[in-house]
Amino acid sequence: MKWVSCSCYVPCRWVGEEEGGSLSEVRARVGASHGITDLGHKLHFYDRWAPDYDQDVAALQYRAPRLAVDCLTQALPGPPHAALILDVACGTGLVAAELQARGFLQLHGVDGSPGMLERARARGLYQNLSLCVLGQEPLPSSEGTFDAVLMVGALSDGQVPCSAIPELLRVTKPGGLVCLTTRTNPSNLHYKEALEATLDRLEQAGAWERLVAWPVDQWELATSELEVVPRTSDSDGFISGIVYLYRKQEGAQVEGLRPSPQPPAGL
């Protein structure tokens, strides 16, 4: 499979029949995904990427799903099998695989890419999967449904906007947990600043309390030398990231947390 540039709406495309590719080709695909800032173009890109997504992120040693689930598992009270979990922007189901390995069985997922959902459905780990473009429509769930909500890898430009964060809180039970991740490499720092401003505003409003803000140096292999963690080289360098964990407060009432009048059917 070859990776080429083009002048169409999606900046790059796949050609050829071969599976996989070199690390440089994988880096090109992942780097291209980071560079698309239009949501519609991004979703189309993910539809095309879905068949190769798992092997590509494995080649880059992508650690966010495991790190996020490790963080959640340590804080969630009660037995894992009893917890109802929502995996937002679930992709192909990498987070669900980590959750199931730790005994979580009640897994629901949403994603904006039909191609990614098809791959997630094939894993057979979710009890329910729904198509939802968060930021443009509400989550298809009632207020206070889930014991924990995770969103791993989708908080960056062109993906889920910061304005959608209260929607995650809406569907979380009082006392439930919300686990989020984002990259902290140079090209994502502007988004990270906006994200943290949103997270802090919600905490100041009494909507939730921060339990963890865990910076991680070795998040995934860098896609370019400009993104490498300082004091490493591009050949073995990683970008950095961060895991956040919050607990929803009892009786949280802030702007943006009002339930949708009629949530779409699904979960």
Side-chain angles (χ1 to χ4, degrees):
M1 180 171 289
K2 298 179 180 178
W3 185 248
V4 297
S5 298
C6 66
S7 58
C8 57
Y9 286 124
V10 178
C12 299
R13 62 185 176 88
W14 289 269
V15 295
E17 301 296 331
E18 305 88 24
E19 291 293 331
S22 68
L23 181 57
S24 63
E25 290 172 330
V26 170
R27 281 174 157 164
R29 283 192 284 274
V30 176
S33 75
H34 293 168
I36 302 171
T37 57
D38 177 86
L39 181 57
H41 302 163
K42 177 90 78 172
L43 292 174
H44 178 66
F45 182 96
Y46 273 91
D47 283 339
R48 298 288 304 276
W49 193 10
D52 297 309
Y53 181 82
D54 287 3
Q55 66 189 27
D56 280 0
V57 297
L60 289 187
Q61 302 179 46
Y62 179 56
R63 303 172 63 208
R66 179 171 60 82
L67 295 170
V69 173
D70 283 347
C71 188
L72 176 71
T73 301
Q74 294 176 30
L76 193 68
H81 69 267
L84 183 61
I85 308 294
L86 178 64
D87 181 9
V88 179
C90 65
T92 62
L94 295 177
V95 171
E98 295 288 347
L99 287 165
Q100 188 195 55
R102 291 160 179 78
F104 293 93
L105 302 177
Q106 300 186 68
L107 308 179
H108 291 206
V110 298
D111 199 272
S113 162
M116 289 286 182
L117 284 176
E118 181 181 353
R119 294 283 165 169
R121 189 168 290 109
R123 267 190 156 95
L125 300 180
Y126 295 95
Q127 292 182 314
N128 187 285
L129 285 165
S130 299
L131 184 67
C132 175
V133 181
L134 191 60
Q136 295 188 357
E137 54 190 332
L139 288 167
S141 308
S142 300
E143 182 179 11
T145 297
F146 298 97
D147 295 291
V149 176
L150 299 96
M151 185 158 57
V152 178
L155 289 170
S156 65
D157 284 332
Q159 293 185 295
V160 177
C162 299
S163 60
I165 297 297
E167 183 66 4
L168 307 181
L169 264 170
R170 181 184 68 79
V171 301
T172 304
K173 293 178 181 178
L177 300 176
V178 180
C179 185
L180 311 170
T181 74
T182 194
R183 293 177 285 110
T184 58
N185 54 308
S187 64
N188 200 51
L189 287 181
H190 180 72
Y191 181 94
K192 176 180 176 287
E193 290 175 1
L195 173 64
E196 291 196 333
T198 299
L199 303 181
D200 291 346
R201 177 182 63 82
L202 290 169
E203 186 167 28
Q204 292 164 8
W208 60 13
E209 62 171 332
R210 178 180 288 186
L211 302 180
V212 174
W214 177 21
V216 178
D217 284 342
Q218 293 190 335
W219 194 256
E220 65 180 350
L221 285 172
T223 58
S224 81
E225 60 183 6
L226 298 177
E227 301 293 338
V228 176
V229 174
R231 298 179 300 280
T232 65
S233 67
D234 185 40
S235 61
D236 59 1
F238 286 78
I239 65 169
S240 54
I242 189 167
V243 181
Y244 304 99
L245 186 67
Y246 287 85
R247 178 180 288 117
K248 183 177 178 178
Q249 300 288 72
E250 299 284 342
Q253 293 291 333
V254 300
E255 183 180 356
L257 292 180
R258 294 185 298 274
S260 302
Q262 293 182 326
L267 301 188

